Structure formats: structure tokens, C-alpha cells
């Protein structure tokens, strides 16, 4: 399945040891700005961070830097070693195969280099969506995820 990912910015979640971290990646003139903007706390509250880092190179390089930084923040929050086995949740879209030029929205759940689940979403009432609208629609679901099961199933 091919997907479209706009190349100017994205927000995704890193799930590790029962906690979520929200990561923002934005294109800049010199590469990418990567921020871990929120980290969930063991009591359910979230704390916000204002600092970020600059990453030269590709969007994939920036994503990887964001994942590493988020895992570090979660480990520090829990006072544990960094754990590499968690999930990454990203809002995505793919062009429909019906030739209309419209897009479907989905949330992709990956673990390591493997996609373990794709959650296809459709607005109610149903409507046609352009690429940016489909990604924004999928991103709305990310705000409501409370947990994730080992198989990649989201708990809303």
C-alpha cells in the first residue's frame, strides 16, 4: 500500500512503557525542526516542552531523531533505561484506487521498521477529502488514543 505523506510537517505519537509522547516535525530553511511537545505522565497528566533540535537531511532523519528524543523523555519520566520496543502512530492518507483523485485517511501503527496495523477512517457523514484534509482528519484520531495493545490496536 502506498501512502502520501506531506513533506512540510507532521505530528506523531511515540508509545513506550504505557506512556505517549507527542512529536512535531516541521520543515525549515536548513533542514527540520524536531520538538517533543508533550509527554504523558504516569498520573495521566501531560507536561509540555519548549525546546527542540535542528536536524539536517531528510524527513525520515527528522522522524528518527524525534522518536529517539521521545523515547529518551519517556525513559527519564519513568526513571528507566530507554526501551526500543514501543509503537509509533502516524496520521497518513492514501489516494483512492477509484480514479476520483480523493484520499482515504488512516492511522499507521509501526513497531521498529514494520507496520503492525493500519486503522482506516472515514468521516460521518461520508465526504470526499483532499490529501491535507485526510491527514488532518486522521490526526484528529491521535488526540483520542488512550492506550495501544501489543498487536497495534488502538484504544480510544
Amino acid at each position: 500500500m502506498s501512502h502520501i505523506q506531506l513533506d512540510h510537517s507532521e505530528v506523531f505519537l511515540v508509545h513506550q512503557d504505557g506512556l505517549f509522547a507527542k512529536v512535531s516535525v516541521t520543515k525549515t530553511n536548513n533542514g527540520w525542526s524536531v520538538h517533543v511537545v508533550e509527554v504523558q505522565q504516569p498520573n495521566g497528566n501531560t507536561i509540555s516542552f519548549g525546546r527542540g533540535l535542528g536536524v539536517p537531511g531528510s524527513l525520515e532523519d527528522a522522524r528518527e531523531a524525534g522518536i529517539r528524543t521521545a523515547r529518551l523523555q519517556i525513559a527519564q519520566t519513568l526513571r528507566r533505561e530507554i526501551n526500543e520496543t514501543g509503537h509509533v502512530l502516524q496520521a497518513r492518507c492514501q489516494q483512492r484506487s477509484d480514479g476520483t483523485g480523493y484520499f482515504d485517511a488512516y492511522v499507521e501503527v509501526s513497531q521498529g521498521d514494520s507496520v503492525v496495523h493500519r486503522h482506516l477512517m472515514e468521516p460521518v457523514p461520508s465526504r470526499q477529502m483532499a490529501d491535507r484534509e485526510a491527514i488532518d482528519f486522521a490526526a484528529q484520531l491521535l488526540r483520542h488514543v488512550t492506550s495501544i495493545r501489543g498487536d497495534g490496536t488502538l484504544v480510544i
Side-chain angles (χ1 to χ4, degrees):
M1 172 191 299
S2 64
H3 68 267
I4 306 294
Q5 180 62 52
L6 301 181
D7 62 356
H8 61 280
S9 69
E10 69 178 28
V11 174
F12 57 91
L13 298 178
V14 175
H15 183 258
Q16 196 71 56
D17 295 323
L19 299 182
F20 286 100
K22 182 183 201 181
V23 180
S24 173
V25 177
T26 305
K27 181 75 174 140
T28 66
N29 290 336
N30 299 323
W32 299 91
S33 174
V34 178
H35 293 264
V36 177
V37 292
E38 293 178 354
V39 175
Q40 184 182 31
Q41 300 299 291
N43 65 5
N45 292 333
T46 58
I47 57 172
S48 299
F49 291 92
R51 62 183 183 275
L53 58 131
V55 178
S58 69
L59 175 58
E60 190 59 36
D61 295 334
R63 249 187 228 129
E64 289 300 317
I67 292 167
R68 282 191 309 275
T69 304
R71 286 186 173 149
L72 174 64
Q73 291 292 336
I74 290 171
Q76 289 176 346
T77 297
L78 295 173
R79 294 186 171 93
R80 296 184 186 167
E81 294 295 316
I82 296 174
N83 182 348
E84 300 288 333
T85 62
H87 294 92
V88 176
L89 290 69
Q90 294 178 273
R92 301 277 196 185
C93 72
Q94 69 183 28
Q95 193 161 19
R96 291 184 175 171
S97 59
D98 60 8
T100 62
Y102 292 110
F103 292 79
D104 288 321
Y106 66 98
V107 171
E108 182 176 87
V109 180
S110 58
Q111 190 170 30
D113 292 333
S114 301
V115 174
V116 295
H117 215 290
R118 284 190 176 97
H119 300 274
L120 186 64
M121 304 164 47
E122 189 170 319
V124 175
S126 183
R127 68 178 186 276
Q128 308 295 333
M129 294 185 288
D131 54 359
R132 179 79 257 169
E133 182 183 10
I135 289 175
D136 290 345
F137 182 72
Q140 290 176 26
L141 175 67
L142 293 179
R143 289 185 241 151
H144 301 287
V145 175
T146 59
S147 182
I148 185 167
R149 296 185 183 137
D151 67 354
T153 302
L154 302 180
V155 178
I156 308 281

